[in-house]
Amino acid sequence: MTARAVTHLNFRGDAREALTFYRSAFGGDLTLVTYKDAGNVQDPDAADQVMFGQVATADGLSVMAYDVPSDLPWNQGENAFFVSVRGETTDEITAYWEKLAEGATVLRPLGAAQWAPLYGMLRDRFGVTWVLDVVSEYNA
């Protein structure tokens, strides 16, 4: 058995839109299960919100997300986490960057860094901070 850590993002009503956007950036398969699909509707207004969602690519990138039910506390927080995407080539990372940058705030422009041939940080339109870099001998 192999265990993997997968980033799990929590939203309040935006999980479907966010996961659809991430699929457009990374490709892969999109899985969405609503509270209604799972027979777990506590709030009729949230029946079509995402209870389980995931984007998974053939090369191993995976992001999960759901909509926190309205009866539970939720705070997007400030710098509570970053999602790190590490690639092997500048072309791969540049392509992801260009797609994620749609509607984003660039925190550090994509460019060479002392520790990586290519590195950048942005906060996407959903408030999630992404760190993208090309793996080098210093950070492998």
Side-chain angles (χ1 to χ4, degrees):
M1 178 195 303
T2 301
R4 293 185 310 131
V6 176
T7 301
H8 190 288
L9 306 174
N10 301 329
F11 295 95
R12 181 72 64 139
D14 293 326
R16 177 187 308 271
E17 184 182 356
L19 286 167
T20 301
F21 174 69
Y22 299 145
R23 182 179 185 271
S24 74
F26 298 112
D29 295 320
L30 172 64
T31 303
L32 294 172
V33 177
T34 66
Y35 286 96
K36 180 171 52 179
D37 295 337
N40 189 19
V41 176
Q42 305 298 317
D43 175 1
D45 291 337
D48 291 323
Q49 289 186 356
V50 176
M51 184 174 142
F52 170 83
Q54 177 174 275
V55 171
T57 68
D59 57 354
L61 187 139
S62 185
V63 176
M64 296 171 64
Y66 92 123
D67 288 308
V68 177
S70 61
D71 63 330
L72 296 178
W74 179 80
N75 183 331
Q76 188 175 24
E78 179 104 15
N79 293 324
F81 64 91
F82 298 152
V83 180
S84 177
V85 176
R86 310 185 85 200
E88 294 182 8
T89 69
T90 59
D91 288 345
E92 176 185 30
I93 291 303
T94 299
Y96 290 150
W97 177 271
E98 289 172 353
K99 293 172 185 171
L100 286 172
E102 178 187 325
T105 300
V106 174
L107 303 173
R108 186 191 190 283
L110 190 62
Q114 191 174 22
W115 62 90
L118 196 63
Y119 171 87
M121 180 186 291
L122 58 80
R123 184 172 300 113
D124 74 21
R125 66 185 191 216
F126 301 100
V128 175
T129 300
W130 294 81
V131 177
L132 289 85
D133 71 339
V134 174
V135 177
S136 74
E137 62 188 63
Y138 303 111
N139 61 18

